[in-house]
Amino acid sequence: MDVLLGAFKALIDAGSYVMLPIIITIIGLIFRLPLSKAFKSGITITCGFVGINLLVNLLKSAVSPAASAMVTNFGLNLDVTDVGWGAISSITWASPIVAFLVFEILGINILMLVLKATKTMDVDIWNYHHMMIAGILVFYVTENIVWALIATAMTAIMTLKFADWTAPLIEHFFGIPDVTLPTISYTSSIIVAAPLNWVIDRIPGLNKLNFSIKSVQKYLGVFGDPMMLGLILGIAMGGLALFPVDKAFLTGVNVAAVMVLMPKMTAMFVEGLMPISAAAQKLTSEKFGGNGLSIGLDAAVVVGNPEVITTALIMIPVTILMAFILPGNRMMPLADLAVVTFRVALVVALCRGNVFRSILISIPVMAAILYAGTFAAPYLTGLAQSTGLSFDGQIACMAGPSLTQTAIVFWSCISQNAVIVVPVVIVIFAAVWFLVEKKIGMEKIEAYAAEYDEM
């Protein structure tokens, strides 16, 4: 175990830009691609991923100062501080049980693939911390490794299935086929968003309201172009932050650059993915009767979508306002405001680019995150202190136990009646699984997602 953990940590420490081409090359060889083609695909995908991350970081650097300034301007001063997902990730990887949880997640993914219970081959190993934090928090509270393993298993299985069920949205809305996104900061929103979207579809009048970049371009002309829209939204954010004119304009230029360049990086990413995807579909069709595989990747590949950025830039001041007015909320959104894109991306895809509906649904999605973060703050703060970190006051973030999926697992496993509550949660999830795959059917989800191509 120590040898395996040492090798795994060495690979993790090398970073995703080293891991990704190695993993993709190995996958290509497994799917019978020649070494040269497999390696080229790995490098091409990685280059696209590097470009995407550079643009995501550019967006963060543009949005973070404005978001922080808005927090100050709103006079927000709550006693639970959002320290960001990065801090939570470091706390997670410092846990003494991390090795057990890593190999548990790997084992669950492999077992589900063998049993044909998932189509997602999750290679997004550096984001395993999203799936491990529930188990690590449960272990901190209960000091029981069994409950920690149960919590991690529940989280992993839910994540893989949510990734499977939302794959058609990725293909048709984001234009990336044969890929799933098992990143909980992305998938978790579906728990709130899917029921609300179903309800809105059945409200006369409201179900007809549609505002998307595609629909407004014909009315706004040049100002409906994603580049110009990014410029306008960035300047508006700078204005809300009370920036000087030049700094507000610079914020707008950076957002506009992300909107223009992100589709080009995504296209490069897809270009590298296609040979792997074609080989995977051919092999799985021959060996498993057409039960094709999808490669599970970081949700960063979709957060640069113009509708996603537009929704996120609108939701940042809305989230700050909600933190101020929601009764009982104590969480001050701060560090993770720059990555609201991850929280709303799946909402936007589910709404097929309808920014109006995306904002309407994102409000309760973000409200749930604020409340879950508030309630989990004492546990997260204690866990951080147990790893040697200290903060002024209590901490939270818009990831970890603040995410709806993780919160459900965490609270069920530390409940005084966990032996009753956990089976109830499992039964409910099993019922949802049956409903989605047997009653609704993936064909209907595919058809729903494909409607975007005709809009």
Side-chain angles (χ1 to χ4, degrees):
M1 180 67 75
D2 288 340
V3 172
L4 287 172
L5 181 59
F8 182 81
K9 280 190 173 180
L11 197 57
I12 287 290
D13 292 342
S16 60
Y17 298 157
V18 174
M19 287 180 63
L20 189 56
I22 293 173
I23 292 173
I24 294 297
T25 300
I26 292 171
I27 290 174
L29 293 174
I30 291 172
F31 293 142
R32 299 178 182 174
L33 274 180
L35 176 60
S36 58
K37 287 188 177 180
F39 184 67
K40 183 180 178 181
S41 288
I43 294 299
T44 304
I45 289 171
T46 304
C47 288
F49 191 64
V50 168
I52 288 167
N53 271 326
L54 286 173
L55 291 172
V56 169
N57 288 330
L58 175 62
L59 184 65
K60 289 179 186 177
S61 66
V63 169
S64 289
S68 297
M70 278 190 280
V71 169
T72 302
N73 296 339
F74 274 61
L76 199 60
N77 187 22
L78 302 171
D79 64 343
V80 175
T81 304
D82 164 23
V83 297
W85 68 267
I88 306 309
S89 174
S90 65
I91 292 168
T92 302
W93 287 108
S95 171
I97 65 168
V98 70
F100 297 101
L101 303 188
V102 165
F103 292 113
E104 180 190 20
I105 294 169
L106 280 169
I108 287 171
N109 193 184
I110 293 168
L111 180 62
M112 289 180 69
L113 286 169
V114 170
L115 296 176
K116 299 182 182 179
T118 185
K119 292 185 176 182
T120 296
M121 179 188 294
D122 187 4
V123 303
D124 187 23
I125 297 172
W126 48 92
N127 271 333
Y128 270 22
H129 67 89
H130 286 288
M131 286 188 268
M132 294 190 294
I133 184 62
I136 288 168
L137 271 170
V138 168
F139 182 71
Y140 168 75
V141 174
T142 66
E143 297 183 350
N144 188 316
I145 186 66
V146 174
W147 279 116
L149 292 171
I150 290 171
T152 302
M154 291 170 65
T155 307
I157 293 168
M158 287 181 181
T159 303
L160 292 171
K161 292 313 299 178
F162 288 150
D164 286 342
W165 298 335
T166 57
L169 299 174
I170 300 167
E171 177 176 357
H172 293 284
F173 182 75
F174 294 117
I176 307 177
D178 303 317
V179 160
T180 61
L181 305 178
T183 310
I184 297 181
S185 57
Y186 165 87
T187 60
S188 182
S189 301
I190 198 70
I191 296 173
V192 175
L196 288 178
N197 190 54
W198 183 88
V199 169
I200 292 173
D201 272 339
R202 284 151 182 80
I203 300 177
L206 191 61
N207 59 4
K208 301 296 182 184
L209 292 176
N210 187 8
F211 173 86
S212 66
I213 292 177
K214 187 183 289 188
S215 65
V216 301
Q217 278 180 327
K218 55 187 176 185
Y219 300 111
L220 298 181
V222 67
F223 294 103
D225 182 271
M227 177 178 67
M228 295 303 296
L229 191 58
L231 179 68
I232 293 167
L233 287 170
I235 292 173
M237 175 165 276
L240 288 173
L242 303 182
F243 282 169
V245 173
D246 59 338
K247 193 172 180 180
F249 189 78
L250 178 61
T251 302
V253 168
N254 285 334
V255 175
V258 172
M259 286 212 177
V260 170
L261 295 175
M262 187 65 83
K264 302 180 187 304
M265 291 299 99
T266 303
M268 184 176 187
F269 181 90
V270 173
E271 177 190 341
L273 186 66
M274 291 313 295
I276 299 287
S277 175
Q281 298 311 314
K282 180 180 178 182
L283 181 63
T284 54
S285 179
E286 293 173 356
K287 300 293 184 181
F288 304 107
N291 188 44
L293 297 180
S294 297
I295 299 175
L297 297 169
D298 190 329
V301 300
V302 300
V303 298
N305 173 273
E307 280 93 350
V308 172
I309 294 178
T310 300
T311 302
L313 291 180
I314 294 170
M315 282 305 303
I316 287 172
V318 171
T319 301
I320 295 170
L321 180 62
M322 284 196 300
F324 187 75
I325 65 175
L326 284 176
N329 175 62
R330 295 167 53 199
M331 178 177 169
M332 180 169 67
L334 193 61
D336 269 349
L337 282 170
V339 290
V340 168
T341 45
F342 285 82
R343 313 302 180 264
V344 303
L346 184 53
V347 177
V348 174
L350 181 68
C351 297
R352 294 180 292 204
N354 184 339
V355 175
F356 171 78
R357 186 181 292 199
S358 299
I359 293 168
L360 201 62
I361 293 176
S362 292
I363 289 172
V365 166
M366 296 306 298
I369 288 174
L370 291 173
Y371 276 128
T374 295
F375 298 144
Y379 302 103
L380 197 59
T381 305
L383 176 63
Q385 291 171 344
S386 73
T387 64
L389 298 177
S390 61
F391 300 90
D392 294 330
Q394 294 189 6
I395 64 167
C397 77
M398 292 190 193
S402 299
L403 297 172
T404 303
Q405 176 189 336
T406 309
I408 290 170
V409 173
F410 171 62
W411 289 106
S412 64
C413 288
I414 69 166
S415 165
Q416 289 185 344
N417 299 309
V419 292
I420 298 173
V421 176
V422 169
V424 169
V425 172
I426 292 172
V427 168
I428 291 172
F429 180 72
V432 172
W433 189 334
F434 177 81
L435 175 67
V436 171
E437 297 196 359
K438 301 299 181 183
K439 290 296 183 181
I440 298 174
M442 288 302 296
E443 294 81 7
K444 287 186 179 179
I445 297 175
E446 177 74 29
Y448 174 86
E451 289 179 13
Y452 177 76
D453 300 332
E454 303 169 4
M455 293 174 67

